[in-house]
Amino acid sequence: MTARRREFPTPEELRIWRDFIETTEALRAELSSRLQRESALSPGDYAVLLALREADGRRLRSSELAARVGWERSRLSHQIGRMERRGLLRREECVTDSRGAEVVLTAEGAEAFRNASLPHLRAVRELFVAALTPDQLAAAQQITTALRNHLTAPEA
């Protein structure tokens, strides 16, 4: 009976899990709401613009962009279409491979990203950083690193 019991979280572990999920969802919702209200960018827009902003030449192949933002290619394709219609980015033929396309940050997209970044970073500081002590921030880093490593570890 004890071996079976270890397959499931304890009531205390479940409480901690729920607190973690509910708090991160509330934080994400508030950051998303502020981003949309202050810049008219969705969190998806911001993620794509950030990835392109950080890329060499401010351009990436669709597959690389999908990997950087952690999305399926079909979701990214719809997002790119919406952003392209708004002039935030454009698709161009890949210079090195005529079968592929690259997603390129436009001047309008770069400006939208710049305009959104300062209020967004202020909100991150206010809602996340300011709520934690330096030791708690370090613990949060350790927790996220442990979770990410566990999720990406090869199956034994």
Side-chain angles (χ1 to χ4, degrees):
M1 186 64 106
T2 57
R4 179 171 166 79
R5 187 156 176 79
R6 285 190 216 141
E7 292 179 29
F8 303 103
T10 66
E12 177 67 6
E13 290 166 338
L14 280 174
R15 185 193 60 74
I16 293 167
W17 165 248
R18 287 193 61 186
D19 284 350
F20 176 79
I21 293 301
E22 290 168 3
T23 302
T24 55
E25 288 300 320
L27 179 60
R28 175 180 255 157
E30 181 61 24
L31 285 168
S32 297
S33 175
R34 288 188 187 194
L35 182 65
Q36 187 77 44
R37 186 174 58 247
E38 294 170 350
S39 70
L41 292 178
S42 72
D45 294 335
Y46 193 83
V48 169
L49 293 174
L50 174 62
L52 290 172
R53 175 74 172 75
E54 292 176 341
D56 287 340
R58 298 187 177 178
R59 62 178 53 235
L60 287 169
R61 298 216 27 169
S62 294
S63 56
E64 176 65 20
L65 181 55
R68 288 197 188 190
V69 297
W71 293 354
E72 296 293 324
R73 291 198 48 193
S74 62
R75 177 181 179 192
L76 179 65
S77 179
H78 291 291
Q79 181 73 36
I80 288 171
R82 289 188 297 271
M83 294 176 75
E84 196 170 28
R85 285 189 291 278
R86 291 165 45 215
L88 300 174
L89 49 81
R90 69 179 178 274
R91 290 179 241 216
E92 293 182 356
E93 283 188 27
C94 183
V95 178
T96 59
D97 180 1
S98 61
R99 295 173 294 155
E102 291 181 313
V103 181
V104 181
L105 183 65
T106 64
E108 293 85 358
E111 182 178 356
F113 179 78
R114 273 192 307 278
N115 291 339
S117 289
L118 289 179
H120 182 62
L121 294 174
R122 278 191 208 102
V124 168
R125 174 163 273 302
E126 175 192 337
L127 298 171
F128 180 73
V129 176
L132 303 173
T133 66
D135 287 344
Q136 290 169 327
L137 279 170
Q141 177 64 57
Q142 291 171 340
I143 291 166
T144 57
T145 298
L147 288 169
R148 188 168 305 229
N149 289 342
H150 183 73
L151 290 170
T152 58
E155 301 257 343

